[in-house]
C-alpha cells in the first residue's frame, strides 16, 4: 500500500490534530514524475519552496532557478508590453506565472504570461473558487531558455489541443520570437507585415516589433503598440467588447 493510500484511510481529524513532525511527509515534486493532476496539485501546495512546477501530459517539470538576462528581463519586457494593452482594453484579464487547469487529469501549466477575454466577452476560461484559472487563455507567452525543448513540443501540443488561440515563444538562445496561431487543431506561424511587425489576429491592435524587443528597445516596442491601438481595427474591437459587456 502506498503512502498516499495510507493517508487517505486515516481520519482527516486525526491528521489535523497530529503534530506536524509526526504526520506522514508529503513527497516533493521532481522532474520526470508521473502523477495525476490532483496529486500534482496536492504536492505543489504542500511544498511552497518550489516556485514553478508544471504537469504536462501527466509528467512533472520543475523549473530551474531563474537567471536575469536569460529569463527575468525579457519576461518583464513582454509583461510590460502586454500589460499596457490590457490596461487600455476593456473586457480582458491576465496574469504572470499563474497556474492554469486545462483538464481534470494530467495538465496543470504555469505560463510565464497569459491574456484572456472575460467570459462576458466570449472568453473560454474563468477564475475558479480556488483562485486558479480553468480553461484555455486566448494568448499564452513562454520565455524559453532551458525549457525550450518542451515549450516547442509537448507544451505546444497541449496548448493547441485545449484551444489556446495564440502562443508566443521567446527563444532566448536563438534570439527568436515565434508567434503561433491556432488554425483548426494545429498551430501555424504568424508572419510579420512588410514593416516587420507582428500583429495578433485575436486581440486587434496588439502589435509587436520583435527586432526592437530583442534589442531591449522598449520605447520603440511601446510606440509600435500605441500605433496598433490607434488603428481602426482596434477601435472596432473595443466597441465590440463594450457591447458584449453591456449584454
Amino acid at each position: 500500500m502506498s503512502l498516499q493510500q495510507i493517508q487517505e484511510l486515516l481520519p482527516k481529524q486525526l491528521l489535523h490534530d497530529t503534530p506536524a513532525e509526526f504526520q506522514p511527509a508529503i513527497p516533493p515534486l521532481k522532474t520526470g514524475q508521473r502523477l495525476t493532476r490532483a496529486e500534482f496539485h496536492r504536492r505543489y501546495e504542500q511544498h511552497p519552496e518550489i516556485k514553478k512546477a508544471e504537469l504536462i501530459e501527466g509528467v512533472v517539470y520543475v523549473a530551474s532557478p531563474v537567471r536575469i538576462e536569460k529569463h527575468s528581463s525579457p519576461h518583464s519586457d513582454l509583461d510590460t508590453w502586454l500589460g499596457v494593452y490590457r490596461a487600455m482594453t476593456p473586457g480582458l484579464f491576465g496574469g504572470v506565472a499563474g497556474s492554469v487547469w486545462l483538464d481534470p487529469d494530467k495538465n496543470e501549466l504555469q505560463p510565464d504570461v497569459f491574456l484572456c477575454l472575460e467570459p462576458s466577452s466570449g472568453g473560454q476560461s474563468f477564475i475558479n473558487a480556488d483562485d486558479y484559472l480553468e480553461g484555455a487563455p486566448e494568448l499564452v507567452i513562454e520565455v524559453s531558455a532551458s525549457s525550450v525543448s518542451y515549450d516547442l513540443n509537448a507544451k505546444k501540443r497541449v496548448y493547441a489541443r485545449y484551444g489556446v488561440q495564440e502562443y508566443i515563444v521567446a527563444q532566448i538562445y536563438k534570439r527568436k520570437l515565434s508567434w503561433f496561431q491556432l488554425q483548426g487543431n494545429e498551430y501555424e506561424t504568424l508572419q510579420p507585415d512588410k514593416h516587420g511587425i507582428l500583429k495578433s489576429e485575436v486581440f486587434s491592435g496588439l502589435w509587436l516589433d520583435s527586432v526592437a524587443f530583442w534589442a531591449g528597445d522598449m520605447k520603440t516596442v511601446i510606440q509600435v503598440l500605441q500605433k496598433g491601438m490607434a488603428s481602426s481595427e482596434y477601435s472596432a474591437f473595443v466597441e465590440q467588447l463594450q457591447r458584449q459587456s453591456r449584454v
Side-chain angles (χ1 to χ4, degrees):
M1 182 178 292
S2 69
L3 175 61
Q4 181 183 353
Q5 290 171 319
I6 293 171
Q7 288 177 289
E8 289 173 351
L9 290 174
L10 290 173
K12 292 184 179 179
Q13 188 60 39
L14 177 60
L15 285 172
H16 177 76
D17 293 340
T18 303
E21 62 267 27
F22 297 115
Q23 290 187 17
I26 295 177
L29 295 170
K30 294 183 179 180
T31 296
Q33 290 172 325
R34 290 189 171 273
L35 300 173
T36 64
R37 204 207 72 192
E39 177 62 12
F40 166 83
H41 191 77
R42 186 179 77 98
R43 295 190 189 188
Y44 200 0
E45 286 193 317
Q46 293 299 316
H47 287 276
E49 75 279 5
I50 299 175
K51 302 305 179 186
K52 181 173 181 177
E54 299 181 293
L55 188 71
I56 305 173
E57 298 290 70
V59 179
V60 175
Y61 295 83
V62 179
S64 303
V66 176
R67 298 182 184 275
I68 303 303
E69 292 184 354
K70 295 295 189 291
H71 192 106
S72 183
S73 288
H75 186 171
S76 175
D77 289 345
L78 287 165
D79 183 41
T80 298
W81 165 71
L82 205 62
V84 170
Y85 182 85
R86 179 163 60 100
M88 302 302 294
T89 310
L92 309 182
F93 71 99
V96 174
S99 292
V100 178
W101 296 3
L102 289 176
D103 63 39
D105 302 316
K106 57 183 180 178
N107 287 288
E108 180 174 329
L109 280 71
Q110 197 169 336
D112 286 320
V113 189
F114 59 87
L115 184 64
C116 308
L117 291 166
E118 292 278 4
S120 61
S121 300
Q124 55 190 4
S125 60
F126 64 95
I127 299 172
N128 66 22
D130 293 316
D131 199 26
Y132 297 107
L133 190 71
E134 281 197 47
E138 276 66 38
L139 171 65
V140 164
I141 301 176
E142 298 284 8
V143 179
S144 296
S146 60
S147 63
V148 68
S149 62
Y150 61 88
D151 285 342
L152 287 175
N153 291 284
K155 189 179 289 187
K156 182 182 172 186
R157 290 192 295 271
V158 169
Y159 282 145
R161 184 192 314 147
Y162 288 99
V164 173
Q165 298 299 302
E166 297 189 322
Y167 179 36
I168 298 174
V169 181
Q171 300 178 54
I172 300 300
Y173 290 111
K174 289 186 175 182
R175 297 180 67 80
K176 177 181 178 181
L177 193 142
S178 300
W179 191 323
F180 302 105
Q181 292 182 323
L182 193 62
Q183 302 292 335
N185 297 320
E186 297 183 355
Y187 282 124
E188 293 186 5
T189 302
L190 176 68
Q191 299 300 323
D193 69 8
K194 62 181 181 180
H195 302 293
I197 307 302
L198 292 161
K199 300 179 178 181
S200 171
E201 293 191 0
V202 175
F203 297 100
S204 297
L206 184 61
W207 296 4
L208 179 62
D209 184 331
S210 62
V211 174
F213 167 74
W214 288 117
D217 182 3
M218 285 302 293
K219 180 178 179 180
T220 297
V221 168
I222 298 303
Q223 286 174 339
V224 168
L225 175 60
Q226 289 172 330
K227 288 181 181 179
M229 293 191 295
S231 67
S232 59
E233 294 84 0
Y234 176 74
S235 297
F237 180 57
V238 169
E239 289 179 7
Q240 174 189 335
L241 292 173
Q242 289 173 332
R243 285 198 303 271
Q244 289 173 323
S245 68
R246 291 194 291 265
V247 173

